[in-house]
Amino acid sequence: MNNPSENKNPRVLDTSALVHDPKSLLAYSEDVYICLTVLEELDNLKERTNKSVSADARVCIRMLEDIINGHSAEEMEAGIPLPSTETAKRGRLFIGIDTQLDMAKELKHGIGSDADNRIINYALYLQKDLDKDVIIVSRDINMRLKARTVGVMAEDVAVDNQISDIDLLYTGVQAFKGDLFDRIKSDKDFKVSGEVYTFPISLFNDEVQPNMYWYDEAGHIGRISEVTDTEVFTKLLPRKQEKVWGILPKNQRQAVALSQLTDPYYDLNIILGPAGSGKTFLAVASALHQVLELKKYKKIVVVRSRDFMDDDPGFLPGDLTEKSMPLLAGITDALISMHSGDNNEGNISATVEHVIERANIEFTSMAYFRGRSIDDAVLIIDEAQNMTRAQIKGMLSRGGKNCRTIVLGNLAQIDDKFVTPASSGASAAVNVYRHYEKGSVLIFDEVERSSLAEFTEKNM
């Protein structure tokens, strides 16, 4: 069955579509239209006694605010570019005024919902104004039937409106098919100075910048050190990967990740991507390597967002670490996986406990981070997609002397009703810190956990 989002006609989103899935705003490659009637309905819904509906309406409003903030009424009517990346090209968002339009004769004497009729009328107006078909996206079956009856195409919200990190943000890496060096016409087209190669900027995408990485199918991996108007200066990484805490990368993005996580130049690493891509596993391995083997840091501090304990750890038995452990199982699972060479379960458990003690691993809560300064440590911030911009700012300002901060997250698994992919602190961190001289960004696009995990990430 064809994916509805592949239809290239402009979309008119109604209220039910937005409330059902606010990511509908970012699900289409063509222009998206929202009329004033829809905004009024969202405003009414946010006051509903049904907390689920009102929360969904508020999420929609926040996401729209994140996109249109700073734009004038004229710009909203002329179209605001929606965030696009190399893998996900999007059109513009139009906010139209439909309340001044004359009602079409087909709807003038309708006895149904006045709001539905105004939205359909707006779609009819757009078809005439644009001289092309438009499509109403709605969860309301009857509205879709009415729209089709008066000559406007209509469809349900696509089931797979899953917006991944790689579709929404700067990825920090570019993949090339074949051998990148084969694209060079002659040896004179690139200069070699030590380990630095110079390539024409035309070979790279629009996101190319310093501290961005690239790799090709021939096994070359490079880090970009400088970008001019015509050239890209890049340093090749060693082709033979060294083990980090006994771990070897399973794919080229993991190789890039390990290089970033162990490069002493960086003090901030942001790694996002689907569940099972190896984010946590690689972060923990690199942290153990630098604490126990290189002795560069004295401890590992792990904090996760967002769980019930972010506001108050409550009265669970035990100290803060014991209360935190069940909610930081992703970290302990990674430790168990790394040290599973011994088939004796008791030995594995004892080894993990020994590693936690030797590496001085501290599991803590966001609630107790205010005012702290983390020195001589690797700070791992897990599940950052559920953080707000203010929370991520507070966390990233905790780093003290000799502190490496690692931010992990997956925008496809936001659990907080009041955080959207556009407003997430993880998104803000990527957009801001991609320009930080000592920071790296990487977004994974592969799942290494299992075929089930990979299928779930792609289809749920």
Side-chain angles (χ1 to χ4, degrees):
M1 186 172 68
N2 291 333
N3 185 344
S5 64
E6 293 176 356
N7 190 307
K8 297 305 179 183
N9 297 90
R11 296 316 201 274
V12 177
L13 304 186
D14 90 331
T15 315
S16 64
L18 284 169
V19 172
H20 173 74
D21 187 1
K23 297 189 294 295
S24 297
L25 281 168
L26 304 173
Y28 305 103
S29 59
E30 292 299 307
D31 294 337
V32 172
Y33 290 80
I34 295 174
C35 62
L36 194 58
T37 295
V38 171
L39 298 183
E40 289 176 345
E41 285 199 304
L42 286 173
D43 191 51
N44 291 332
L45 286 176
K46 75 180 186 183
E47 304 299 336
R48 282 275 188 95
T49 53
N50 185 321
K51 291 184 178 180
S52 176
V53 173
S54 63
D56 289 339
R58 291 176 188 275
V59 169
C60 297
I61 294 168
R62 283 189 182 88
M63 194 162 184
L64 284 167
E65 167 65 14
D66 291 332
I67 294 172
I68 69 177
N69 187 35
H71 294 278
S72 66
E74 292 77 16
E75 289 173 324
M76 286 189 277
E77 196 166 1
I80 301 168
L82 289 166
S84 295
T85 66
E86 183 187 8
T87 59
K89 303 298 182 184
R90 299 184 177 91
R92 293 170 294 171
L93 171 65
F94 293 81
I95 307 294
I97 300 174
D98 64 302
T99 51
Q100 299 174 344
L101 299 176
D102 293 330
M103 193 66 73
K105 64 180 187 298
E106 298 94 333
L107 301 167
K108 190 170 292 186
H109 303 293
I111 60 173
S113 166
D114 184 51
D116 285 358
N117 288 343
R118 291 199 333 234
I119 296 170
I120 296 172
N121 187 62
Y122 177 63
L124 283 169
Y125 160 77
L126 284 177
Q127 287 194 152
K128 294 177 182 177
D129 187 57
L130 302 175
D131 194 26
K132 64 192 300 186
D133 290 336
V134 302
I135 302 174
I136 288 178
V137 182
S138 175
R139 291 288 294 156
D140 186 334
I141 297 176
N142 195 57
M143 182 178 180
R144 298 202 299 267
L145 290 173
K146 286 168 62 176
R148 293 173 185 141
T149 301
V150 300
V152 180
M153 291 190 290
E155 66 186 21
D156 198 352
V157 176
V159 176
D160 56 352
N161 275 355
Q162 191 63 46
I163 306 300
S164 67
D165 312 72
I166 201 168
D167 289 336
L168 195 62
L169 299 169
Y170 163 74
T171 63
V173 66
Q174 180 175 354
F176 291 96
K177 292 185 180 299
D179 189 330
L180 179 60
F181 286 89
D182 288 343
R183 303 190 186 194
I184 306 299
K185 294 179 181 178
S186 69
D187 290 351
K188 295 180 181 179
D189 288 334
F190 66 86
K191 303 170 187 176
V192 182
S193 174
E195 299 176 334
V196 178
Y197 289 74
T198 304
F199 293 98
I201 195 170
S202 58
L203 293 176
F204 293 83
N205 60 33
D206 295 338
E207 295 182 333
V208 64
Q209 66 170 63
N211 289 350
M212 180 174 163
Y213 288 69
W214 62 267
Y215 61 84
D216 62 22
E217 292 178 338
H220 299 115
I221 300 177
R223 172 189 169 189
I224 295 170
S225 56
E226 184 183 351
V227 178
T228 69
D229 291 340
T230 58
E231 295 174 316
V232 172
F233 294 82
T234 180
K235 179 181 179 180
L236 285 184
L237 303 184
R239 298 192 68 157
K240 184 178 180 181
Q241 299 291 331
E242 294 185 5
K243 288 186 176 182
V244 174
W245 197 252
I247 303 301
L248 282 173
K250 292 186 176 181
N251 57 55
Q252 286 174 300
R253 289 205 187 214
Q254 286 196 1
V256 171
L258 279 178
S259 175
Q260 292 176 340
L261 289 165
T262 56
D263 190 332
Y265 177 74
Y266 297 124
D267 59 18
L268 172 65
N269 306 110
I270 301 173
I271 302 179
L272 307 181
S277 56
K279 305 182 299 295
T280 305
F281 192 84
L282 297 174
V284 172
S286 67
L288 291 172
H289 170 66
Q290 292 171 91
V291 171
L292 295 179
E293 294 180 336
L294 299 183
K295 310 293 184 183
K296 180 174 174 55
Y297 306 101
K298 295 179 180 178
K299 63 180 178 179
I300 301 170
V301 180
V302 182
V303 61
R304 176 177 176 173
S305 178
R306 174 166 181 158
D307 298 294
F308 66 85
M309 65 180 307
D310 283 356
D311 298 317
D312 183 0
F315 47 87
L316 295 174
D319 59 21
L320 182 60
T321 299
E322 290 172 324
K323 293 178 182 182
S324 304
M325 287 293 282
L327 301 174
L328 293 159
I331 304 294
T332 54
D333 285 349
L335 288 170
I336 291 170
S337 180
M338 287 174 204
H339 303 89
S340 58
D342 192 327
N343 293 325
N344 187 304
E345 189 173 331
N347 290 346
I348 295 173
S349 179
T351 300
V352 169
E353 289 178 8
H354 179 62
V355 168
I356 291 174
E357 184 177 348
R358 279 187 61 212
N360 194 15
I361 301 179
E362 174 188 339
F363 298 101
T364 188
S365 163
M366 273 180 56
Y368 291 98
F369 244 66
R370 186 178 297 276
R372 290 191 64 179
S373 181
I374 309 299
D375 297 327
D376 298 313
V378 178
L379 171 60
I380 299 177
I381 304 171
D382 200 13
E383 303 291 340
Q385 74 274 3
N386 289 313
M387 296 174 114
T388 64
R389 187 186 182 101
Q391 287 173 324
I392 200 76
K393 178 181 178 181
M395 295 297 295
L396 292 177
S397 63
R398 298 304 97 201
K401 176 171 58 79
N402 190 34
C403 177
R404 176 189 287 269
T405 302
I406 303 172
V407 178
L408 307 174
N410 177 9
L411 295 181
Q413 293 191 339
I414 292 177
D415 304 315
D416 192 318
K417 281 281 188 182
F418 300 102
V419 177
T420 70
S423 66
S424 168
S427 297
V430 170
N431 292 330
V432 171
Y433 290 99
R434 61 178 287 188
H435 303 296
Y436 175 49
E437 183 182 358
K438 293 187 177 182
S440 71
V441 172
L442 179 66
I443 296 184
F444 280 111
D445 62 348
E446 293 181 65
V447 175
E448 295 290 347
R449 184 173 290 166
S450 68
S451 58
L452 175 59
E454 182 175 7
F455 182 87
T456 301
E457 278 293 327
K458 290 180 178 179
N459 296 281
M460 281 295 285

